[in-house]
Amino acid sequence: MVEVAIKVYSTRQKISACCQQDSPASHETPKLGCSVGIMAYNEEANIAHTLAAVQAQQQLSFRIDEIVVVASGCTDQTVPIVAALARDDARIHLYTQARREGKASAINLFLQHASSEILILLSADVIPESMAFEHLCATFKHPHIGMSGGRPVPINNKDTFMGHTVHLLWHLHDRLARQEPKLGEAIAFRNVLATIPHKSAVDEISIQALISHLGYHLQYQPACIVYNKGPLTVQEFIQQRKRIYAGHLQVRATQNYAASTMKICPIFRQLLACRDLSMRTPQRLLWTLGAILLESYARLQGYYDYRRHKDYHIWPMIDSTKNLHTNIETLQYTPQAKG
């Protein structure tokens, strides 16, 4: 940890000095330069949509200098798809890893090559709205802000048990993050990190911990909407949630940092506060109780895996979350009423 912190601090000083030297004499505020990183493993179903959404971002206060795609051990058409798109956009740079080494390893490769002042990390299986990056980057006009994150909105059908469970989970995360930032799916942070822990199973929280330990503040941006897709089956939900909880336990133990979603009491308070979503009808109430049982069981499994030192830095792919089956030009977001 000490070695990483020294690298981080020296990098931070270097960037600060560069900003002072390159500052224009005019009073016009220069646009923030951003490097976008997309980590991909067999993302042929969605990678073209994600890249198109990145290219379509409204760049009012920032500019996208480069789009770095790290393809790790892909065995599908991800690499050819990205390579073809790179021929038409010089900002797209493709790096490949011969074998899958985990998302944290891919992020560290991105950190080696990223050259801009602000780094944006985007999951390869999400679609950001056209103003998403603008909202993410707007916070960095304040020098004390070191990291920001957006709001994931699932496209799952709410009228099914699993759809209700996924929507409820992310709605609770949104409410909690407004009080104590929990950043994920789409994040932006200052280019002050040399590496992140290569065994991390929850990269965003690991980055959040490192940025916080440097003395920077975090900013949740609910106006930054990114669409994702939650698991469609109970088995996949448990598989995903236990890995995340085990990862959070690992970060708490090794980086001395706890995600806000690990605290049970605030979750239940928010669950009661959004009863219009969770308890509006008898069916919704039953589904909510089922969701609580699923999440509790997944956390127990995650705790058991953590105690057994199960390695999750390379985790099983959740197939049902990989194809959003949607057109990014027709996506519309309607905020839910606060309960």
Side-chain angles (χ1 to χ4, degrees):
M1 177 61 71
V2 175
E3 181 182 356
V4 173
I6 291 173
K7 290 180 180 178
V8 169
Y9 185 69
S10 63
T11 306
R12 181 178 175 182
Q13 287 182 316
K14 179 180 177 181
I15 292 172
S16 177
C18 290
C19 291
Q20 293 173 1
Q21 293 172 4
D22 296 339
S23 179
S26 67
H27 294 291
E28 183 181 353
T29 303
K31 290 187 176 182
L32 283 172
C34 296
S35 296
V36 180
I38 302 174
M39 312 303 117
Y41 168 66
N42 286 355
E43 298 285 359
E44 65 179 5
N46 206 61
I47 188 65
H49 297 298
T50 300
L51 284 170
V54 170
Q55 293 169 314
Q57 290 297 300
Q58 298 292 317
Q59 302 175 49
L60 305 180
S61 64
F62 77 101
R63 68 178 185 276
I64 297 176
D65 294 331
E66 58 183 347
I67 305 169
V68 177
V69 179
V70 180
S72 300
C74 293
T75 57
D76 64 354
Q77 293 300 304
T78 298
V79 170
I81 290 171
V82 175
L85 293 171
R87 288 193 287 270
D88 296 325
D89 189 338
R91 296 174 302 171
I92 299 177
H93 306 293
L94 173 64
Y95 297 93
T96 61
Q97 294 178 310
R99 59 186 179 86
R100 192 181 181 198
E101 301 176 23
K103 188 176 178 182
S105 172
I107 290 173
N108 285 334
L109 183 58
F110 166 61
L111 293 177
Q112 291 176 24
H113 293 282
S115 58
S116 301
E117 180 182 359
I118 302 298
L119 308 183
I120 298 175
L121 271 185
L122 187 70
S123 297
D125 54 1
V126 303
I127 303 291
E129 281 195 340
S130 62
M131 288 292 289
F133 289 2
E134 181 67 30
H135 291 299
L136 276 185
C137 294
T139 60
F140 294 107
K141 63 184 179 182
H142 304 291
H144 61 279
I145 299 295
M147 180 176 176
S148 64
R151 178 181 181 183
V153 175
I155 64 166
N156 299 62
N157 181 3
K158 296 179 183 180
D159 296 325
T160 65
F161 168 62
M162 286 311 304
H164 172 81
T165 298
V166 169
H167 277 274
L168 179 62
L169 180 72
W170 281 113
H171 189 63
L172 290 172
H173 279 204
D174 170 54
R175 296 182 68 98
L176 288 166
R178 291 171 191 258
Q179 298 180 353
E180 184 179 347
K182 161 64 166 67
L183 313 177
E185 297 295 298
I187 60 173
F189 55 99
R190 296 188 185 276
N191 192 353
V192 295
L193 301 181
T195 61
I196 69 171
H198 72 283
K199 289 284 189 178
S200 177
V202 281
D203 49 277
E204 293 100 340
I205 290 298
S206 286
I207 293 170
Q208 191 170 318
L210 292 170
I211 294 292
S212 296
H213 291 329
L214 281 173
Y216 283 113
H217 294 177
L218 310 173
Q219 182 70 55
Y220 176 60
Q221 287 285 9
C224 168
I225 303 299
V226 290
Y227 297 96
N228 67 355
K229 187 177 180 182
L232 297 182
T233 69
V234 169
Q235 182 179 3
E236 288 182 328
F237 180 87
I238 292 173
Q239 181 179 331
Q240 182 184 75
R241 297 301 300 165
K242 72 176 182 179
R243 183 265 301 176
I244 291 173
Y245 190 68
H248 284 172
L249 291 172
Q250 181 187 41
V251 169
R252 188 173 68 180
T254 60
Q255 296 184 253
N256 193 29
Y257 190 87
S260 60
T261 50
M262 293 187 72
K263 303 171 185 176
I264 301 300
C265 289
I267 293 176
F268 274 99
R269 282 198 294 268
Q270 294 302 329
L271 186 63
L272 293 174
C274 67
R275 52 189 172 272
D276 286 348
L277 170 66
S278 60
M279 308 175 188
R280 186 171 66 246
T281 66
Q283 183 183 55
R284 296 281 173 182
L285 176 58
L286 287 174
W287 283 353
T288 296
L289 292 174
I292 293 172
L293 290 174
L294 274 185
E295 177 70 10
S296 300
Y297 178 73
R299 289 193 176 206
L300 283 173
Q301 289 289 308
Y303 175 77
Y304 179 62
D305 287 345
Y306 167 73
R307 296 293 295 178
R308 290 189 305 150
H309 303 288
K310 183 170 182 178
D311 190 350
Y312 269 119
H313 80 284
I314 301 177
W315 59 83
M317 190 171 178
I318 307 295
D319 293 327
S320 67
T321 67
K322 294 304 177 184
N323 194 341
L324 273 65
H325 288 297
T326 189
N327 186 331
I328 61 173
E329 296 179 354
T330 60
L331 280 174
Q332 293 183 347
Y333 170 63
T334 303
Q336 294 172 336
K338 293 184 180 181

